[in-house]
Amino acid sequence: MSEELRGVVVCRGAMADALVKAAEQISGVDAALTPVSNTGCDRDTLEQRVLAAVDKHPAVVFVDMASGSCLFAVLKRLRSEQSVKVVTGVNLAMLVDFVFHRTLSPQEAATRAAATGQASIRLP
């Protein structure tokens, strides 16, 4: 890929911003992830926020849950875009890994992020 992927984190409340800031602190990589919140908006506004964050670029969109307004807004507008892949159940491990692998294809980056996120969940 010639263009680095955008990472868009879509969550309820302040969670997207918190995850992005934490990933930046851990990785030392700034501006690779864009937070999008559903705070203070209806579904149309949330859809517009997501579209603005992706801005017609290749991207992986990370969503907090596998249901609800955030996912529905993302899928409604981006489901048919081949250059955008969606990963639900966002966690910090997958975001940190993603910022170091933005030259992969959207499918490869999404698959890797999902695997990293799953592998980070353990019962110690």
Side-chain angles (χ1 to χ4, degrees):
M1 266 190 96
S2 60
E3 179 180 8
E4 285 190 320
L5 293 174
R6 290 184 179 210
V8 178
V9 182
V10 184
C11 300
R12 289 156 179 78
M15 189 170 138
D17 192 52
L19 283 168
V20 168
K21 286 180 181 176
E24 289 176 345
Q25 284 182 327
I26 292 167
S27 69
V29 177
D30 294 333
L33 299 165
T34 302
V36 175
S37 173
N38 72 345
T39 299
C41 67
D42 60 16
R43 173 116 46 109
D44 286 339
T45 303
L46 180 55
E47 291 172 12
Q48 292 304 316
R49 288 178 182 179
V50 171
L51 286 176
V54 172
D55 194 26
K56 299 179 183 176
H57 288 84
V60 175
V61 179
F62 299 92
V63 182
D64 55 3
M65 295 175 31
S67 65
S69 63
C70 293
L71 180 63
F72 299 147
V74 169
L75 292 180
K76 181 178 178 188
R77 294 299 184 114
L78 298 172
R79 182 186 314 252
S80 64
E81 294 294 326
Q82 292 301 309
S83 65
V84 178
K85 297 300 176 194
V86 179
V87 178
T88 62
V90 64
N91 65 34
L92 189 53
M94 69 173 60
L95 295 178
V96 171
D97 185 77
F98 171 79
V99 301
F100 293 114
H101 296 94
R102 292 180 295 136
T103 58
L104 297 174
S105 72
Q107 180 64 54
E108 292 169 325
T111 299
R112 182 182 175 96
T116 300
Q118 287 177 328
S120 74
I121 299 169
R122 303 194 186 264
L123 293 172

